[in-house]
Amino acid sequence: MQIVSLADHTLRAVNLQTATENPDLRVQLGPDLLTGRVSRSGRFAIVATRGSMVELWSVQDRRRPEKVLGPLGPVTVNESQIGGWGDPQFFLANGNSVRFISVADAGRIDIESYDFADKQIFLATTRDGKALLRSTPVRGLIDLFRLDPALWQRHLCDVLGRDLSEDERRGLPPELPNVICPPR
């Protein structure tokens, strides 16, 4: 189990069977640390800070942890979801976006972001964050939303029955492939 001591901003690993701390796994993070969780490999920690922000820290060198991303947020309790905590990746569904964040071996951070026009309330997600139970403050309806580009492409092509015209492409991001719906 991982515990935080607010007085000294330290994340500690405690064996619940013996009630003893493993001092080799102790990590002292920033002064705003509220809670944190170290990845299975022990290389990274995701941290919640005062002000409801989220940060990603490299803790491979436990004596010199380094913030590599953040702050992200603010995160609202009961309206945001964080998960998929593989190593070294996670997702944050908050406000009007869902971000999939991964850290490459060289320390490069890749962020894949899905942005919505309006604020979303994320009630639950699948473990990988690709399916979200969500609501919007305005409509208040709850629905299941899938972040699956291939599924959306199939639906689009089934509905249109053709590829997008030049006029239709003008309102979309420029990085779309040249052919979205191949000829049937």
Side-chain angles (χ1 to χ4, degrees):
M1 171 177 226
Q2 298 168 17
I3 324 175
V4 174
S5 172
L6 290 176
D8 64 2
H9 319 291
T10 302
L11 183 61
R12 302 171 190 275
V14 175
N15 182 328
L16 293 179
Q17 293 178 340
T18 63
T20 57
E21 177 194 358
N22 182 340
D24 294 335
L25 298 178
R26 186 181 301 165
V27 181
Q28 188 163 5
L29 298 170
D32 292 332
L33 169 71
L34 291 178
T35 187
R37 182 175 172 202
V38 176
S39 65
R40 286 190 177 132
S41 72
R43 294 176 48 208
F44 297 95
I46 192 158
V47 173
T49 67
R50 289 188 182 108
S52 301
M53 303 304 269
V54 174
E55 298 174 347
L56 181 66
W57 287 68
S58 171
V59 295
Q60 198 159 0
D61 180 352
R62 299 216 184 271
R63 285 173 268 134
R64 287 193 206 127
E66 178 183 359
K67 182 168 55 169
V68 294
L69 179 68
L72 302 171
V75 175
T76 307
V77 177
N78 299 326
E79 292 186 6
S80 302
Q81 298 290 320
I82 190 165
W85 187 228
D87 192 18
Q89 59 192 9
F90 69 99
F91 69 86
L92 174 62
N94 180 55
N96 68 339
S97 69
V98 179
R99 294 183 190 124
F100 293 89
I101 300 160
S102 61
V103 182
D105 286 336
R108 186 185 80 246
I109 297 173
D110 294 320
I111 300 175
E112 180 181 352
S113 185
Y114 294 86
D115 299 311
F116 300 91
D118 299 315
K119 180 181 188 253
Q120 309 290 302
I121 297 171
F122 298 102
L123 304 168
T125 65
T126 53
R127 287 182 189 242
D128 64 0
K130 295 289 186 173
L132 307 127
L133 192 60
R134 67 172 184 158
S135 176
T136 58
V138 176
R139 293 183 299 145
L141 301 174
I142 296 174
D143 68 352
L144 179 64
F145 188 83
R146 296 181 200 279
L147 296 173
D148 183 348
L151 176 66
W152 282 95
Q153 180 182 14
R154 283 193 307 274
H155 285 299
L156 174 72
C157 296
D158 287 346
V159 169
L160 286 178
R162 59 174 173 76
D163 205 359
L164 296 176
S165 70
E166 286 303 315
D167 284 342
E168 291 166 332
R169 285 179 175 274
R170 279 196 222 9
L172 298 172
E175 60 270 1
L176 287 175
N178 291 333
V179 176
I180 295 173
C181 301
R184 297 179 188 204

